[in-house]
Amino acid sequence: MIPYFDDGLVWRRECLRLTLASLERQTDPDWHAYLVDDASPAAGTEEFLAGLAASVVGSVTVLRAPRNGGAGQARNLAIEAAHRDGHALLAYLDADDLAHPRRVAAVRALFADRPELDFAYSDIEFIDENGRPWDPDWLLPGLRMLDEQQRLPKLRGRERWIEQAVERDNIAIPSAMNLRTALALRVPFPAAPFCEDVATLFRYLGSGAAIDHVPGIPTGYRVPKEGGSASRKQSGGVDAFNRMRCANEREGLEEAIATAVARGAADERTGRAVLCRYLIRIGRTVTADGSPELGRSQLRQARELDPGTFAEHATAAERGAVEVAQAGEATR
């Protein structure tokens, strides 16, 4: 499932060529790519994609979204098309990332061996615009956190949504996600244009999906050294991006909690505590990412939601910061 948006920049087309080339190098050639044009404004996009698909050694179907709705909505179109074509397994791959040569073979083997498995993720390797590995010390704080967290014990089994929400910023980018088509149809991506991946991951795990890790097939995650994060620029800057992140992720987690409660996997008290602990964690994350005021607001919401859980899991400094902020508001 490859969403693609062409705004006329030459490097986007070159990156897409490299992404499809990584599929041509698969040791298991039995794959089918769904390439979705997300209503690109650039002239000639339709002709470019048609010509590229025809030149690829492998099966590629080009789709076009009726309107620009973001990567999540483009993936939904591809998921529906793959289902109609009878494909039981899916792999997400963004248009500037690289699939490991053994990805198809390893994922197919894991799901064949584990009929109860719903979702599997791999590690990632950060590469720059030229395909060279990043020095982890030079990554932005949010990406450095992702790099550090992928070294934690892998999430396996069912009911891992609580750990994902309260202890991990994210376990996988979309390009490292693989799943059964049935799960993707049951839990489609939301309409949100940013941070739809984490919101959807919450909902996957909250539905009771069985998860595992696929070792040895890291996805090449392209992060340009020049120009910074595309998502942050497109959303209006770091603070605007983080505000969308908090809102969209929280909505996904609240849906996951509601689903878990409805399934009898958690009660409302547990759900409230999980949401509180998530707010503490995301408050720390966005503060480290350059949005301290937004971080403090997440901590205030956590305290208002569940004072007991907040007192137990927030640090002394975080508790003090909330008290100072509330005292300041009371005197204004």
Side-chain angles (χ1 to χ4, degrees):
M1 315 287 106
I2 307 175
Y4 178 70
F5 180 77
D6 194 332
D7 55 4
L9 296 177
V10 175
W11 71 270
R12 293 197 192 282
R13 295 190 175 187
E14 181 57 28
C15 282
L16 179 60
R17 293 182 193 276
L18 295 173
T19 297
L20 291 175
S22 75
L23 295 181
E24 291 181 304
R25 291 192 293 272
Q26 292 299 301
T27 59
D28 181 342
D30 188 14
W31 54 266
H32 189 119
Y34 291 84
L35 177 57
V36 185
D37 174 14
D38 190 20
S40 298
T45 300
E46 183 176 354
E47 294 77 9
F48 163 69
L49 294 180
L52 185 59
S55 70
V56 170
V57 180
S59 300
V60 180
T61 294
V62 178
L63 306 170
R64 180 174 171 83
R67 61 177 180 79
N68 177 245
Q73 296 300 284
R75 292 188 198 103
N76 287 341
L77 287 177
I79 291 164
E80 293 166 1
H83 171 63
R84 289 194 298 270
D85 291 344
H87 298 294
L89 295 177
L90 306 179
Y92 301 142
L93 184 63
D94 285 351
D96 54 353
D97 294 337
L98 303 179
H100 189 280
R102 292 191 296 105
R103 180 175 183 177
V104 171
V107 169
R108 191 190 307 280
L110 180 64
F111 278 90
D113 188 55
R114 300 275 303 285
E116 80 286 358
L117 188 64
D118 299 299
F119 178 94
Y121 68 103
S122 69
D123 292 332
I124 61 175
E125 291 181 342
F126 294 92
I127 57 174
D128 65 16
E129 55 267 57
N130 298 309
R132 291 190 291 262
W134 269 81
D135 181 336
D137 292 338
W138 288 92
L139 292 170
L140 292 170
L143 297 175
R144 193 179 307 124
M145 180 182 297
L146 176 58
D147 187 47
E148 292 168 352
Q149 290 190 353
Q150 72 174 349
R151 291 170 172 74
L152 297 175
K154 305 306 181 184
L155 295 187
R156 292 183 167 90
R158 297 187 187 274
E159 307 304 343
R160 305 309 301 271
W161 57 278
I162 293 178
E163 184 176 352
Q164 162 64 18
V166 306
E167 296 182 7
R168 314 277 180 115
D169 180 56
N170 191 7
I171 62 169
I173 62 169
S175 291
M177 296 181 182
N178 313 276
L179 67 163
R180 294 196 188 276
T181 307
L183 175 61
L185 288 170
R186 190 166 69 248
V187 184
F189 284 89
F194 300 105
C195 301
E196 81 292 338
D197 53 339
V198 178
T200 303
L201 181 57
F202 284 153
R203 294 166 66 222
Y204 285 158
L205 302 188
S207 74
I211 183 174
D212 203 349
H213 174 260
V214 196
I217 56 164
T219 292
Y221 179 27
R222 195 180 301 278
V223 180
K225 289 184 176 178
E226 299 294 333
S229 166
S231 295
R232 284 164 170 74
K233 288 191 296 183
Q234 292 166 6
S235 62
V238 171
D239 200 57
F241 173 81
N242 281 330
R243 290 184 184 281
M244 292 182 188
R245 178 184 196 175
C246 289
N248 296 340
E249 287 188 11
R250 177 171 180 169
E251 182 177 351
L253 178 56
E254 288 179 334
E255 289 184 20
I257 291 170
T259 300
V261 170
R263 293 189 295 109
D267 56 28
E268 293 185 0
R269 172 70 186 87
T270 299
R272 186 165 59 253
V274 169
L275 182 56
C276 175
R277 292 180 64 187
Y278 163 78
L279 290 170
I280 295 171
R281 180 185 63 72
I282 196 66
R284 294 168 182 165
T285 299
V286 298
T287 295
D289 200 35
S291 300
E293 183 178 347
L294 177 61
R296 286 191 292 271
S297 76
Q298 301 304 298
L299 294 175
R300 287 197 297 271
Q301 292 175 51
R303 180 179 177 179
E304 293 167 1
L305 177 68
D306 191 337
T309 298
F310 179 80
E312 180 181 357
H313 292 280
T315 66
E318 289 166 342
R319 296 194 298 271
V322 170
E323 291 172 359
V324 169
Q326 291 180 331
E329 291 174 356
T331 58
R332 285 201 293 268

